Amino acid sequence: MLTIKRVPTVVSNYQEDAGERLGCGRNCLGECCLPVSKLPLFAFGSETLKTGSVSDDDEKPPADFFLNTLLIGQWEDRMSRGLFRYDVTACETKVIPGEQGFIAQLNEGRHLKKRPTEFRVDRVLQPFDPKKFNFTKVGQEEVLFRFEASDNGKTRFFEKAVVEETYPPSVVAINVSPIEYGHVLLIPRVLECLPQKIDLESLLLAFHMAEEAASPYFRLGYNSLGAFATINHLHFQAYYLSVPFPVEKAQTQKIPIAKGLEKTDVKISQLLNYPVRGLVYECGNNLKGLADLVATSCIWLQDNNIPFNILISDSGRRIFVFPQCYAEKQALGEVSQELLDTQVNPAVWEISGHMVLKRKEDYENASEDYACRLLAEVSLSEARFEEVKAYIFEATGLVESEEEEANMNENKGAAYHPIPAHIPVDV
């Protein structure tokens, strides 16, 4: 059984002085309230963006402050205040026996209380609709802190920071229907009301969040529309889980690139012997170069109406991109009734190997065979995946080495395990 990591709670999030009634009075994240609020701000060390106005009195936070004290501490504070729809820490979790090591969780509350999808599932790109639920309607009590780049290249934390009109803030908020411990949402430039659509600036922001967390147990995920995103307002999800995801341990095969990676340390591989076909992008220290390549790949997918999921792993230095087709198969009646009855929507966490199950009988009978059959329905066929990969490479200016490619196809068993084998189950 997996265990929960407990940490001390820091001072609760505070927006306005007692008695003040600013904005619309609901203390929301909309144009009416957010610009007159003072939220905590974690400004990470980058000159990419500009933050709001802050004092210069605060000291640089300690190395483990972002994840262990700020994010998890504030998340537990919201849990103590009863802001979640159910207690996710009471959900049963187990590792399913088998080679892959799939993780199963029984989460009946998410099925009963999660917000339903309010838009078409056959279009990856859809315009933002202010009449439907979006994060500007969220109360600021659900916000943990702002997360933005520092204007001087130094990592700083400020308990209160005024929102500048010239730059819309990005915020980290709780997911009120959590999947795991510390489950939060990163909402880039919340006041811009962006639809669920990847862009370079927002993707790089997510990479920086993974970098600041500096833990192999903290990952971020992204679901496009058509790949089980349920809200059409740009956001990433993230949570803490103290075991490797099966996909992180999966075999990979490096794709030899003859042209296009000369000025970067990015390496591209594809998954082997895993139920869902996907691309793996890795880099050393150049997060911007990695973000450029991954963003361009995902922009091609969304522009061509191919649903996809992203897993941001290894502190932002290892990125998995999964084109998928489960919703399309559902619409065509090609998914078995047995799988449909489980009501599991395979989004990024399920694809990565964390199976969130909604019925007790499915949890009790969970097997590697079931997980593999479900995920196999998510994956593009081999022929379709190779076609999509070729288009992605064309869009990103990459050229495969033909001779090396032939050798790769003949030796797909030659792979490696990049995730350390010593990561413990319990923390």
Side-chain angles (χ1 to χ4, degrees):
M1 189 70 73
L2 305 183
T3 60
I4 296 299
K5 178 179 180 180
R6 298 290 182 183
V7 297
T9 301
V10 297
V11 176
S12 298
N13 188 15
Y14 181 82
Q15 284 79 42
E16 297 295 337
D17 295 331
E20 289 190 16
R21 302 275 301 178
L22 301 175
C24 70
R26 293 183 295 114
N27 208 27
C28 66
L29 286 179
E31 287 277 6
C32 49
C33 295
L34 188 55
V36 293
S37 299
K38 295 180 181 179
L39 292 170
L41 168 64
F42 187 95
F44 60 88
S46 170
E47 298 180 358
T48 306
L49 306 175
K50 189 178 186 301
T51 62
S53 299
V54 294
S55 68
D56 201 34
D57 300 330
D58 299 70
E59 297 296 327
K60 179 178 179 180
D64 63 346
F65 174 81
F66 177 82
L67 179 62
N68 293 336
T69 302
L70 181 60
L71 191 148
I72 292 179
Q74 290 281 9
W75 187 89
E76 286 197 341
D77 171 76
R78 301 315 188 274
M79 183 170 65
S80 70
R81 288 203 245 162
L83 296 183
F84 295 98
R85 293 177 177 171
Y86 50 85
D87 181 7
V88 73
T89 65
C91 293
E92 295 181 66
T93 300
K94 65 182 179 182
V95 176
I96 300 173
E99 293 183 4
Q100 299 283 359
F102 291 114
I103 305 148
Q105 181 198 87
L106 176 60
N107 194 328
E108 296 170 297
R110 187 170 174 83
H111 169 50
L112 298 173
K113 300 179 181 180
K114 187 178 185 298
R115 190 180 306 279
T117 302
E118 297 182 314
F119 46 82
R120 295 173 56 179
V121 298
D122 61 340
R123 299 300 305 174
V124 173
L125 296 180
Q126 298 176 45
F128 179 87
D129 186 347
K131 297 178 181 178
K132 294 182 179 179
F133 176 81
N134 62 78
F135 297 115
T136 65
K137 300 178 181 182
V138 166
Q140 289 186 25
E141 69 274 7
E142 296 179 17
V143 177
L144 305 185
F145 53 92
R146 288 165 51 193
F147 181 73
E148 298 159 26
S150 170
D151 59 355
N152 62 5
K154 298 179 181 180
T155 298
R156 311 291 291 278
F157 175 70
F158 307 90
E159 290 189 2
K160 296 181 182 181
V162 175
V163 176
E164 279 192 351
E165 293 183 4
T166 55
Y167 186 78
S170 299
V171 301
V172 175
I174 60 171
N175 187 326
V176 294
S177 298
I179 286 177
E180 245 320 324
Y181 181 70
H183 194 165
V184 296
L185 304 172
L186 171 64
I187 309 167
R189 312 194 305 279
V190 60
L191 291 178
E192 289 188 7
C193 295
L194 303 168
Q196 188 72 342
K197 176 182 178 181
I198 285 292
D199 65 75
L200 173 59
E201 183 177 318
S202 299
L203 186 64
L204 186 57
L205 185 71
F207 285 11
H208 280 298
M209 183 172 176
E211 182 181 42
E212 291 298 332
S215 169
Y217 309 115
F218 187 79
R219 297 85 161 184
L220 286 90
Y222 175 89
N223 302 315
S224 78
L225 301 187
F228 302 104
T230 57
I231 298 170
N232 188 22
H233 189 175
L234 181 59
H235 66 286
F236 296 82
Q237 300 186 45
Y239 61 70
Y240 182 99
L241 185 69
S242 61
V243 293
F245 283 167
V247 76
E248 292 174 321
K249 301 182 296 180
Q251 294 181 331
T252 60
Q253 176 67 61
K254 182 180 177 181
I255 300 173
I257 303 298
K259 181 180 178 182
L261 295 178
E262 297 87 353
K263 297 181 180 180
T264 178
D265 63 348
V266 176
K267 177 176 67 177
I268 305 176
S269 306
Q270 63 188 53
L271 291 167
L272 295 178
N273 303 320
Y274 192 74
V276 184
R277 294 179 177 88
L279 294 172
V280 187
Y281 301 75
E282 301 173 81
C283 81
N285 297 309
N286 185 3
L287 285 188
K288 175 63 165 58
L290 180 65
D292 281 335
L293 192 57
V294 176
T296 303
S297 302
C298 294
I299 288 169
W300 184 89
L301 289 170
Q302 63 195 16
D303 286 348
N304 287 275
N305 202 38
I306 299 175
F308 63 95
N309 310 87
I310 306 171
L311 177 69
I312 301 172
S313 178
D314 194 19
S315 299
R317 286 169 173 76
R318 195 163 187 244
I319 316 301
F320 298 80
V321 177
F322 308 97
Q324 70 142 294
C325 58
Y326 191 81
E328 178 184 356
K329 287 184 177 180
Q330 276 184 309
L332 295 173
E334 296 178 357
V335 180
S336 73
Q337 191 60 46
E338 177 190 3
L339 293 178
L340 292 176
D341 286 344
T342 66
Q343 301 180 63
V344 174
N345 294 326
V348 61
W349 308 121
E350 288 80 8
I351 290 173
S352 301
H354 190 194
M355 316 302 295
V356 182
L357 304 175
K358 303 170 182 178
R359 303 186 307 180
K360 192 170 184 63
E361 60 265 36
D362 295 328
Y363 177 78
E364 292 176 344
N365 299 321
S367 66
E368 184 166 275
D369 176 69
Y370 158 75
C372 287
R373 284 190 291 115
L374 173 66
L375 296 184
E377 297 292 347
V378 175
S379 182
L380 301 185
S381 67
E382 183 174 1
R384 178 59 174 155
F385 177 76
E386 291 298 325
E387 180 183 20
V388 167
K389 184 180 74 173
Y391 281 123
I392 288 175
F393 282 9
E394 181 179 355
T396 52
L398 302 178
V399 179
E400 277 191 77
S401 170
E402 295 182 4
E403 181 178 350
E404 295 287 344
E405 180 183 6
N407 292 334
M408 183 184 75
N409 291 333
E410 292 177 2
N411 299 283
K412 283 193 173 181
Y416 58 92
H417 293 271
I419 297 297
H422 64 272
I423 293 179
V425 171
D426 297 326
V427 174

